[in-house]
Amino acid sequence: GERLIVGAAGRTGVIKRIIRALRGVATDLKSEESIRKIETTLASIYQYHKQTYGENYRSKEEFDRDFYGSLLAVDSENIYRFFFDGYPEPCGDYEAIGSASDYVRTLLETFYEKGMDTTVASELAIYCILQAMKVSRDIGEPIQVGVVKRDGQTIILSEGQVKEIIRRINGREQVLHNIWSILTKWPEVQEELEKFVEEKLASIKAT
């Protein structure tokens, strides 16, 4: 939709069916009607798969485990997580879905700040995905980033923009690695570094 970005984690075939079914269902998450339409759509797809393929499984628990996944719907003011059986859950300032979601939420809890501009927020999102790749084999490139602004405008970052952000992040990690090596060998440098960082942060806050 023009005002809604959707991301999903789970079985690819189920996700494709869900995305096809959601086209035109909702353009925002402000109304209960839109949320109910998404909920109903997901529930009907769940029931279809259960009736069509359920007999191939030894138990409902086994089917649910195989079918399990979730969908993240984001507009300019709201974040909702929908489970593939249709259950909706409103979220706070950030949310993550997928096999490394608990780890990513920890990263977001540490680094997320209200009022981030889209450039910084995109970098944080990509950083979290890169870190998640290190702990889960289910996550891989290419990384795709979509942004919904408060005025409803949506932006999809190009492949080149994403690669440039990854290059910057990798450069920072190399710098941090080098700093760690220096402080390990010369701990007396830490006091000077802390003072430098505090001065820079004060300067940033002042502007």
Side-chain angles (χ1 to χ4, degrees), residues 9 16-17 47 66 68 77 99 102 105 116 120-121 123 172 181 186 207:
K16 287 182 176 179
R17 180 181 292 274
Q47 289 300 326
D66 202 32
Y68 179 79
E77 297 180 3
S99 54
D102 289 341
R105 286 190 204 100
M116 282 181 167
V120 176
E123 288 188 4
R172 287 180 199 147
S181 299
W186 297 287
T207 55

Side-chain angles (χ1 to χ4, degrees), residues 11-92:
R11 285 196 169 271
T12 307
V14 178
I15 290 172
K16 287 182 176 179
R17 180 181 292 274
I18 286 171
I19 296 300
R20 285 198 303 270
L22 285 179
R23 291 191 185 281
V25 167
T27 55
D28 62 67
L29 297 167
K30 296 182 185 66
S31 68
E32 283 294 326
E33 182 184 4
S34 291
I35 295 169
R36 190 165 57 251
K37 283 181 179 178
I38 297 174
E39 183 181 3
T40 303
T41 301
L42 292 172
S44 65
I45 292 174
Y46 172 82
Q47 289 300 326
Y48 167 81
H49 278 264
K50 187 175 179 181
Q51 292 171 6
T52 307
Y53 306 112
E55 61 183 25
N56 298 334
Y57 296 86
R58 288 173 293 183
S59 65
K60 179 182 180 298
E61 289 74 20
E62 187 180 18
F63 168 78
D64 286 341
R65 197 161 51 244
D66 202 32
F67 187 87
Y68 179 79
S70 53
L71 178 148
L72 205 60
V74 183
D75 66 11
S76 59
E77 297 180 3
N78 305 275
I79 304 175
Y80 268 86
R81 179 179 183 180
F82 292 86
F83 295 91
F84 278 0
D85 60 1
Y87 177 74
E89 183 71 35
C91 305

Side-chain angles (χ1 to χ4, degrees), residues 166-183:
I166 292 174
R167 187 193 65 77
R168 288 203 300 269
I169 290 171
N170 289 338
R172 287 180 199 147
E173 289 203 323
Q174 185 59 52
V175 169
L176 291 172
H177 180 271
N178 293 339
I179 290 172
W180 179 266
S181 299
I182 291 170
L183 295 181

